[in-house]
Every structure is written in structure tokens, then in C-alpha cells.
Amino acid sequence: MRLGWLRKRKLSSAALILALAIAGCEAASDRNNDSAPSGRNEAISGENVVIGMSLATLQEERWLKDRDIFIAAAEALGAEVQVQAANSNSARQIAQAENMISQGVDVLVIVPHDAAATAVIVEKAHAAGIKVMSYDRLIKDADVDLYVSFDNERVGEMQAEAIVSLVPEGSYAYIGGADSDNNAHLFKQGAFHILQPLIDNGSIRIVYDQFTEDWVPDNARESMEEALLANGRIDAVIAANDGMAGGVIQALTDQGLQGSIPVSGQDAELAALQRIVAGTQAMTVYKPIKKLAERAAELAVRLALNEPVATDKSVHNGKGNVPAILLDPVMVDRTSIDETVVKDGFHKREEIYAGAE
């Protein structure tokens, strides 16, 4: 257990007391592990724990929420969080993580920009005795200590189920996320679990299928323009997240087609919910970020303290099975906004419905 060695050097007596207290907690955890495998029913103190949080980007609404909720939850446990955002640049993310490792953080929580490139961070962290949590997005080809996310294949299934219910036959465009992001592949796998039987029986034709560099909405808009130009008619669009759905809908609006072609999304962004109310976006997938970030903050502290973290799932990342905790996503359309994102306080009702009622 590292416990922020930069500060511990100045607090050797306090650190000794803390270490003894933690040892007692670990013994209690071992005794109670069968009845409380996640350790969530036991008190935990993150005092003197320093968490390094490496984010791929803060350019989307949801990542700002993740950051703020995670920090608040970690600080409530007594931990300190150092945050760096790479602005969708793998080299920058690796350099930022290396800096946090050199500063002596106790655990790294990483949202990878590039699932494969960030494997080097895990290797360097482990060489320094630092555990690594892969947050929301899976790091590939590395011995990741813990993966905390949502069931991302189920996200893709929800997107496809919603669009198929509206357009059971016709020409589909699939506009996926970044090829470098493992989640984008999981979303697509989930969507095609639903689409493939309909493709096989001839009900649906996939006339356009592209990943989107860096999840950039303008790139999604350009893809939609290409799809319309190449095919003339598109009956439905599965867009992998809300930002890209916005780009797709802009391309449709330019052609006077907004609202006539169902478009999926994900992340329950405010702008997306406003589009759903307006009728230009069919649905989104709400991932209760508060549950994810709070759970991850607690587990990060436990990793830093070398406490056991039990999981009932694992995900293969190309190198081995990574222990995983996967939360359930929630489908949201016009009929379920109030009982989901509004009820949870994720967005305010008056902001979602502004100008619509």
C-alpha cells in the first residue's frame, strides 16, 4: 500500500497508525468476504489515499459529470483526486499518466482514449506498484486490475431494439464510435445481435456502416451526408452516442429530413433529450453515471489500500480476463424521460422541456 508517499514521508507516525488501522480493516474484510463480497457494507477510509484520474477527454457533457461525481465521492471517503484530461490524444494521455505515476499516486483510474495504446500505462503503473482501474472503457492487452463500466453490449442492443420497433423494414445506416475505443465495438456487437436476424431474412439492409474518428459530431455529420448521397434513401440511423446523433440530425436537417428518420443515441445528454422532446431523435441510453462514479471511487480507494474487491463477471481484453463490475443501462424515449433522468436528478425537467410545452 503506497498511500501517497510524498505526504507519508512527513507523517510517519500518523502513517503507522493508519497502516495498523487498515490492517485491522483488511482482517475484518477477509472475515466478512463471503457475506459481503463487494465490501460495500463495510466502512472504509481513504485518508491519505491519492487517486490519479486520467480522462480521455472532457469535451463531452457526460465526462464532466463523471469527473465531478467521482471527485465528490472520493473526497467524501477522505481521498484526494488528481485529474488530467488528454483531449483525445493518446500520447498526451500516456505522458500525463506517467507524470501521475512519478508523483506517487496510490491508484490510477483510466478512461482510455485508445484502448490498445494505453496498455503501456498499466505496465508502467504496475512497475511502480500502482494498481489500475479501467473506468467505463476497457484497456486492451494489459493486466488491468479492475474494470468498472456498464453492460455496453446491452447499450447497443437497446439502441437497435428501439429503432427496429419504429422501422422494422428498410435501409439502415450504422454510425459507430471511435474504432480505437473498445466500447464502440461492444456497442456495435450489441446492435448487430438484434439486427443480424433481420438482415438475414431481408427485412433490413445495412447500406452504410462506419466508425467515427474520435467520436467527433462533425465527423458523424459528414458520414451521414455521405450515406444520403450514396443511397438516396435512408430509413433509420443507429448512432452510437448523443454527440454523434446531433451531427447526424444536423445533416438530416440540412436536407429537410429531421424528424422523419429515427436516430438513436446514448449518454442522455441534455441536448439529446431536448431533441427527443422535439421529435428529431428517437431515443437515448441513460447510463446512471452517479452510480458508476460513486462505485468506482469507493473501489479505487479499496484498490489503493490493497483490500479485496470481489466481482461476479470478467471481460477478456485480449490478454486475459479482467475482473469486472458492469452496471445496467436504461433505455429512454419520449415516454420515459420523467421516470428516468428526471427522477434521478440527472437533468432538470424544465431544462429538458424548455420551449416544448
Side-chain angles (χ1 to χ4, degrees), residues 119 122 126 131-135 138-148 317 319 321-323:
V122 180
H126 283 174
K131 291 185 177 179
V132 177
M133 175 193 295
S134 193
Y135 180 94
L138 183 63
I139 300 171
K140 300 283 286 183
D141 302 319
D143 293 318
V144 178
D145 296 286
L146 182 65
Y147 174 45
V148 183
N317 74 342
K319 185 170 185 179
N321 289 320
V322 179

Side-chain angles (χ1 to χ4, degrees), residues 17-328:
I17 293 171
L18 179 63
L20 291 172
I22 291 168
C25 289
E26 288 175 343
S29 177
D30 290 340
R31 290 193 299 270
N32 295 323
N33 193 46
D34 290 339
S35 61
S38 70
R40 298 195 74 201
N41 293 326
E42 302 169 23
I44 183 171
S45 171
E47 184 179 357
N48 287 337
V49 168
V50 181
I51 302 170
M53 189 176 200
S54 173
L55 295 166
T57 181
L58 284 173
Q59 295 174 343
E60 295 174 4
E61 176 185 296
R62 73 146 294 185
W63 298 115
L64 295 170
K65 288 180 178 288
D66 285 86
R67 178 198 62 186
D68 294 346
I69 296 169
F70 183 96
I71 290 173
E75 289 180 346
L77 294 172
E80 174 188 333
V81 184
Q82 298 177 1
V83 179
Q84 293 285 331
N87 296 325
S88 300
N89 183 298
S90 294
R92 183 180 294 118
Q93 184 166 36
I94 292 168
Q96 290 172 342
E98 288 176 339
N99 182 59
M100 287 190 281
I101 291 169
S102 71
Q103 292 297 313
V105 298
D106 299 303
V107 62
L108 272 178
V109 176
I110 301 175
V111 180
H113 168 61
D114 185 306
T118 44
V120 68
I121 298 175
V122 180
E123 181 180 348
K124 292 183 178 184
H126 283 174
I130 300 170
K131 291 185 177 179
V132 177
M133 175 193 295
S134 193
Y135 180 94
D136 191 69
R137 301 174 178 176
L138 183 63
I139 300 171
K140 300 283 286 183
D141 302 319
D143 293 318
V144 178
D145 296 286
L146 182 65
Y147 174 45
V148 183
S149 185
F150 290 92
D151 185 338
N152 290 307
E153 286 195 29
R154 183 63 189 136
V155 170
E157 289 174 349
M158 287 180 168
Q159 292 172 331
E161 287 168 351
I163 299 303
V164 165
S165 72
L166 297 171
V167 184
E169 298 179 348
S171 299
Y172 273 52
Y174 186 86
I175 299 181
D179 191 19
S180 60
D181 182 349
N182 187 66
N183 278 5
H185 293 272
L186 295 176
F187 300 146
K188 185 173 182 178
Q189 288 172 20
F192 276 79
H193 288 166
I194 306 302
L195 297 177
Q196 196 60 53
L198 299 171
I199 295 169
D200 293 342
N201 69 23
S203 298
I204 287 174
R205 292 186 307 123
I206 305 297
V207 297
Y208 190 87
D209 181 356
Q210 290 288 333
F211 286 109
T212 304
E213 185 176 0
D214 291 339
W215 296 90
V216 174
D218 281 346
N219 294 340
R221 176 182 55 78
E222 291 175 3
S223 290
M224 192 64 217
E225 290 171 349
E226 290 179 4
L228 290 169
L229 183 63
N231 297 281
R233 176 180 175 84
I234 301 289
D235 297 303
V237 181
I238 297 178
N241 79 352
D242 287 337
M244 296 193 313
V248 167
I249 291 167
Q250 182 58 58
L252 294 176
T253 301
D254 292 343
Q255 300 296 320
L257 297 172
Q258 72 276 16
S260 64
I261 299 175
V263 180
S264 73
Q266 176 202 179
D267 289 335
E269 291 186 354
L270 178 59
L273 294 166
Q274 291 170 337
R275 290 193 296 266
I276 290 172
V277 169
T280 57
Q281 183 169 326
M283 61 82 71
T284 187
V285 178
Y286 167 47
K287 299 193 292 189
I289 292 171
K290 187 172 188 293
K291 293 180 182 179
L292 176 71
E294 290 181 344
R295 186 76 181 275
E298 175 200 336
L299 293 170
V301 170
R302 292 189 182 279
L303 287 177
L305 299 177
N306 287 318
E307 290 198 359
V309 175
T311 64
D312 60 0
K313 296 181 177 68
S314 65
V315 176
H316 200 278
N317 74 342
K319 185 170 185 179
N321 289 320
V322 179
I325 294 173
L326 304 179
L327 306 182
D328 294 327

